[in-house]
Amino acid sequence: MVALSDAITNIDIDIIHLRSCHYELKFQQKGHGIGLARCTNFRNRTYHEKNINGFFAREKQGSCPRTAGHGDNNLSPLDLQTPTAFDNYYYKNLLVCKGLLHSDQQLFNGGSTDSIVHAYAENPDAFYSDFIAAMIKMGDNKPHTVAMASFFAFLVVAITILGLLIQGSSHPQLSPDFYSDTCPDLLPIIQHQVQLAVAEERRMGASLLRLFFHDCFVNGCDASVLLDDTLTFTGEKNAAPNKNSIRGFEVIDAIKAAVEEACPGVVSCADILTITARDSVVELGGPYWDVKLGRRDARTASQAAANTSIPAPTNSLDQLITSFHAQGLSVQDMVALSGAHTIGLARCTNFRNRTYHEKNINGFFAKERQESCPRIVGHGDNNLAPLDVQSPTVFDNNYYKNLLGYKGLLHSDQQLFIGGSTDSIVHAYAENPDAFYADFIAAMIKMGDNKPLTGTDGEIRMDCRKEAKLPRHTRPRRQQFGTSCIQTPTLFDNSYFLNLVAMKGLLHSDQELFNGGSTDAIRKPRCLHPRLHHSHDKDGRHQSSYWLRWINQDQLQAVKTMASFSGLAITLLSIVALFLGNSHARLTPDFYEDSCPDLLSIVQAQVEMAIKNEKRMGASLLRLFFHDCFVNGCDGSVLLDDTPAFVGEKNAAPNANSVRGFEVIDVIKAAVEEACPGVVSCADILAISARDSVVQVRVIKIGTSFLFLFFFGERKQRLEKPMNSRLVLIKKKCRVENFLQIIHVNSLHQFLIQLGGPDWQVKLGRRDARTASQAAANSSIPPPTSNLSELISSYAAQGLSVQDMVALSGAHTIGKARCTTFRNRIYQEANIDSFFTNTRKPNCPGTPGQGDDNLAPLDIQTPTRFDNSYFVNLVAWKGLLHSDQALFNGGSTDTIVQNYSQNPDAFIQDFVTAMIKMGDIKPLTGRNGEIRTNCRRLN
């Protein structure tokens, strides 16, 4: 301790404040935490030191073997409780001897700093204040220049203060007294209702606790589990882990009604679920804890996420650990939360296989369970048995005692005690109920902090079963935008002002800045694309670059203007945004500007050649990108061949005999590798190829002269030029919706005419996945038989809105489909134009097996041109696939389809926005993934 103190004193910095440097950002694979330490740094402490909590030491030993050289690089969080939040729990951990590093615990070990640790553990504001002062002091330590030191000190403090303003604690708006003023009787109201429900049926306590579990494991604790199915999404109630399983919805309805009567429109269903879970535990004899409140309710639900996120009763130990880890919960949290099975009942279908076939089960216990659960499937499936054979309606630690006697009812229960890494924790909880209660409470609080909706996110439902009616001013407006610059919601640029000029300000106060008043002249932009500065290189080739490459004095002045005490958070956010970039800091259009400057032209040339050889290829390359992004993000996984380690996605049901273009990607990759070996990912090549396929071209051979009629605005102009002259690009105005670009190709008697597809800047910097998942492809990619609600749910699972879904479906304006995907529609469905069906039937016989692979264009009007004819077809009931026509079938998306059918510019704009948004789905960046040299296999 003395040596450590002396070392810090030598540079005149306050030691105790800066121990929180263990919150420094350390980006790890999959983003699983900040502030992690390697096993080599804490091995000696966990095995040999005395001033360490025993349970804590055993948990750390589980991931850090005693023998040097084994697991040296395994990571563990420096802050056990809130490893991803900047708060004062580090000091609370020290008070109970849970400092991970030797140097951490030295701060609270009977020495001179004990009182300071105590103070920070009790008073987070004191810690924050002293931390900021110490950071500024450290930033002034021997700077090369005063300006540089001040800048970095300011930036660190700005980010720190911003984190405190935005986060506060782990979730700033979650607090036990959140409703103390707005609904002071909330807790007794819920407690009374829970008491009534449990008195009527003891099992209900377990059911209400389980509802909370199943809610938090699916996109966070947001009450999505309570929502009934709607036209826009399929809810979670009928997901495999929930169907015929979760219950208690009527009790939640009764509680909500009682709360609404006392405090209408104030308390969320998510918070009611949280309080109800705690009160259920207490009512059955378990511990009490303060519940943090302030959550808001989700406006949607995801059956797909419920199917994949909630652990199953058949899970192995590794699967359980992975499932809980995905929710930010540790192994100890998992074992403690599993103790909720000390109450409640399970259906025969969930334990039949265990009682008849597994070996690690007590024989007498198995025979007792078999009496109410026949061996034959379908007989007694819904018969119930207690999860805790000793005290099924009392919340205690007998669940763990049962596991020691091999009387775990479910396979997943007994996995906690089967000679694995969790045996010691089960032993500890079986012997010490207080240790179980303490860890159960900590884990419940931690789980309750899982992705809550707070502030203005989500809503407060009046009825927990259905989404609240949005006020008129918050309802999405139907898109009626004409041609304008594409919006850039995740990029700091001047698009906001271009939107105002196009009368597309979202808020009333926005549009007031450009509404015939004194500020019109200030807000009106120059005639430039909102995101691009156009220039040409030395060879005359067109180039683009970001306007905001550097911060200029005007921007700094704007920041100064914003600065005021009340706007401090906004000011700091703006500064940090200018330095740190957009939503994906490492995704940028100029990512390869230095490392592979000819990348875009190489890919464009190869795509043009492929489409020239086969026009359908443009649609195929675009579809490859879709099917890649929908399976664990845009990571090039769809390109991988099967290996002994995994089954790839190429033969998944939505892809087999369907996705194609792999050879084209191979050719593109080879050309790129020749120019820039080992630099460009296959994921980025897919993204660029998709864009270039939309901006597809048609080759027209002509003679020594030509006659073109082109349109510019409302004027028609006739051009007649000799072939050996050069035509310049005709593009001199901001409004470019009604023109054909004409480019002369020197001595070749060819012209390239753009076919109407939009161009946009592709954000780059993705890396390639090291694995693929056929199972994820089967479940994530929407099939052509999908109805509207299934489509909406599928896209929502990828973070895409209903409007994104309709716009992206417009990609079916190009390409073809196999007879097997539309046979049922043309022979069986009624919502289809009869003349259209008659044109499809000759090429697609009604008998399966005949003509299955025959192709038909998805867009009957202009199958090789990217335009809005797809939507025109839908309005005329000429959608080829069932999933196509579902977009226009008397449902919620009819108005969007009608708008796109009448306004091609609205479609083009929304398609580009949605493509950019889809390209941002879970990219692998930084050190995650790899750069494949062959897109079909791992390096």
Side-chain angles (χ1 to χ4, degrees), residues 640 643 646 769-771 930 932 934-939:
L640 286 169
T643 73
F646 60 81
R770 291 194 174 99
T771 188
E930 65 181 7
R932 289 184 222 140
N934 182 331
C935 291
R936 293 175 179 261
R937 59 175 181 260
L938 304 181
N939 292 341

Side-chain angles (χ1 to χ4, degrees), residues 171 216-221 327-328 445-452:
H171 293 289
C216 292
F217 264 69
V218 183
N219 298 324
C221 307
Q327 307 300 327
I445 294 172
K446 191 173 179 181
M447 183 171 69
D449 283 345
N450 186 23
K451 304 175 190 172

Side-chain angles (χ1 to χ4, degrees), residues 340-361:
H341 281 186
T342 187
I343 54 176
L345 307 174
R347 294 165 63 231
C348 166
T349 55
N350 291 323
F351 60 84
R352 174 182 280 122
N353 186 72
R354 171 157 168 74
T355 58
Y356 284 97
H357 299 296
E358 296 190 8
K359 304 300 183 183
N360 60 340
I361 188 170

Side-chain angles (χ1 to χ4, degrees), residues 24-100:
E24 63 180 314
L25 290 178
K26 292 181 181 290
F27 293 98
Q28 301 296 338
Q29 187 173 0
K30 301 183 181 176
H32 283 170
I34 56 175
L36 304 175
R38 294 167 63 234
C39 166
T40 53
N41 293 324
F42 60 85
R43 174 182 282 123
N44 185 72
R45 171 157 167 74
T46 58
Y47 284 98
H48 300 296
E49 296 189 9
K50 303 299 183 183
N51 61 339
I52 187 170
N53 178 283
F55 296 112
F56 174 69
R58 281 194 289 273
E59 182 184 1
K60 300 297 99 174
Q61 290 167 4
S63 62
C64 185
R66 180 189 297 267
T67 307
H70 293 261
D72 287 358
N73 293 321
N74 292 352
L75 300 172
S76 185
L78 289 152
D79 174 357
L80 178 67
Q81 298 190 56
T82 55
T84 61
F86 191 96
D87 54 25
N88 68 327
Y89 273 103
Y90 167 79
Y91 301 104
K92 293 181 180 181
N93 294 334
L94 299 185
L95 295 185
V96 292
C97 295
K98 293 185 180 180
L100 183 63

Side-chain angles (χ1 to χ4, degrees), residues 81 171 174 209-222 274 277 289 292 295 311 324 327-330 333-334 337-338 340 439-452:
Q81 298 190 56
H171 293 289
L174 294 188
L209 177 58
R210 192 158 183 256
L211 263 183
F212 180 60
F213 273 68
H214 283 227
D215 182 49
C216 292
F217 264 69
V218 183
N219 298 324
C221 307
D222 59 5
T274 311
W289 67 93
K292 293 196 286 184
R295 299 166 189 81
F324 277 73
Q327 307 300 327
L329 298 168
S330 69
D333 295 330
M334 183 264 291
L337 290 172
S338 297
D439 290 346
F440 178 81
I441 290 172
M444 284 292 288
I445 294 172
K446 191 173 179 181
M447 183 171 69
D449 283 345
N450 186 23
K451 304 175 190 172

Side-chain angles (χ1 to χ4, degrees), residues 360-403:
N360 60 340
I361 188 170
N362 179 284
F364 296 107
F365 174 70
K367 290 177 182 177
E368 182 181 1
R369 295 286 73 98
Q370 290 170 4
E371 291 177 2
S372 62
C373 184
R375 182 190 295 267
I376 301 173
V377 175
H379 293 258
D381 286 357
N382 293 320
N383 291 351
L384 300 172
L387 289 157
D388 174 356
V389 69
Q390 297 189 60
S391 51
T393 59
V394 178
F395 194 98
D396 55 23
N397 70 329
N398 279 336
Y399 167 80
Y400 301 103
K401 295 178 180 179
N402 295 333
L403 298 185

Side-chain angles (χ1 to χ4, degrees), residues 360-663:
N360 60 340
I361 188 170
N362 179 284
F364 296 107
F365 174 70
K367 290 177 182 177
E368 182 181 1
R369 295 286 73 98
Q370 290 170 4
E371 291 177 2
S372 62
C373 184
R375 182 190 295 267
I376 301 173
V377 175
H379 293 258
D381 286 357
N382 293 320
N383 291 351
L384 300 172
L387 289 157
D388 174 356
V389 69
Q390 297 189 60
S391 51
T393 59
V394 178
F395 194 98
D396 55 23
N397 70 329
N398 279 336
Y399 167 80
Y400 301 103
K401 295 178 180 179
N402 295 333
L403 298 185
L404 296 184
Y406 293 98
K407 296 181 182 180
L409 183 63
L410 304 180
H411 174 84
S412 56
D413 288 332
Q414 196 61 54
Q415 286 293 299
L416 302 183
F417 187 80
I418 195 174
S421 60
T422 55
D423 283 17
S424 60
I425 305 177
V426 171
H427 261 300
Y429 291 162
E431 296 169 358
N432 188 343
D434 292 331
F436 162 51
Y437 292 152
D439 290 346
F440 178 81
I441 290 172
M444 284 292 288
I445 294 172
K446 191 173 179 181
M447 183 171 69
D449 283 345
N450 186 23
K451 304 175 190 172
L453 300 173
T454 58
T456 58
D457 294 334
E459 63 182 6
I460 303 296
R461 290 184 218 142
M462 304 300 106
D463 180 339
C464 291
R465 292 175 180 261
K466 59 190 179 189
E467 182 184 358
K469 296 293 184 182
L470 294 178
R472 181 180 181 87
H473 69 277
T474 63
R475 290 183 181 277
R477 293 189 303 171
R478 175 180 171 184
Q479 288 282 0
Q480 294 179 334
F481 301 155
T483 55
S484 180
C485 303
I486 301 301
Q487 299 180 57
T488 53
T490 61
L491 182 65
F492 191 95
D493 58 16
N494 72 329
S495 293
Y496 168 79
F497 301 107
L498 286 152
N499 293 335
L500 298 186
V501 174
M503 296 298 173
K504 295 193 294 187
L506 181 62
L507 305 180
H508 172 80
S509 56
D510 290 332
Q511 199 58 57
E512 283 297 288
L513 300 179
F514 188 80
N515 197 28
S518 59
T519 57
D520 283 16
I522 302 174
R523 307 302 167 192
K524 188 171 183 179
R526 294 186 299 167
C527 180
L528 285 173
H529 189 285
R531 292 186 295 134
L532 304 178
H533 168 68
H534 295 285
S535 62
H536 294 80
D537 65 13
K538 62 182 181 179
D539 298 319
R541 293 177 297 192
H542 186 265
Q543 292 184 321
S544 302
S545 60
Y546 271 123
W547 279 8
L548 296 179
R549 188 177 293 274
W550 308 107
I551 299 178
N552 59 36
Q553 292 303 311
D554 291 338
Q555 291 160 345
L556 290 178
Q557 184 58 45
V559 170
K560 293 177 183 177
T561 303
M562 285 191 291
S564 64
F565 180 78
S566 62
L568 178 59
I570 298 174
T571 303
L572 292 171
L573 182 60
S574 301
I575 296 170
V576 174
L578 291 177
F579 280 99
L580 301 184
N582 59 14
S583 60
H584 291 289
R586 285 168 286 186
L587 290 189
T588 168
D590 57 1
F591 186 85
Y592 299 108
E593 186 177 77
D594 297 325
S595 58
C596 193
D598 295 326
L599 170 64
L600 298 183
S601 59
I602 292 172
V603 176
Q604 181 184 14
Q606 295 296 330
V607 170
E608 288 179 0
M609 186 179 302
I611 295 174
K612 178 184 175 183
N613 292 334
E614 182 193 7
K615 287 188 172 62
R616 179 189 173 200
M617 188 53 69
S620 298
L621 294 175
L622 178 57
R623 191 158 184 258
L624 261 184
F625 182 60
F626 271 68
H627 284 224
D628 183 48
C629 292
F630 263 68
V631 183
N632 297 325
C634 308
D635 58 5
S637 59
V638 73
L639 304 175
L640 286 169
D641 292 335
D642 294 353
T643 73
F646 60 81
V647 179
E649 299 162 19
K650 290 182 178 180
N651 290 313
N655 294 337
N657 300 316
S658 177
V659 291
R660 55 196 295 274
F662 299 109
E663 295 78 7

Side-chain angles (χ1 to χ4, degrees), residues 218-241:
V218 183
N219 298 324
C221 307
D222 59 5
S224 59
V225 72
L226 303 176
L227 287 170
D228 291 335
D229 294 352
T230 72
L231 291 175
T232 59
F233 61 80
T234 302
E236 299 162 19
K237 291 182 178 179
N238 289 314

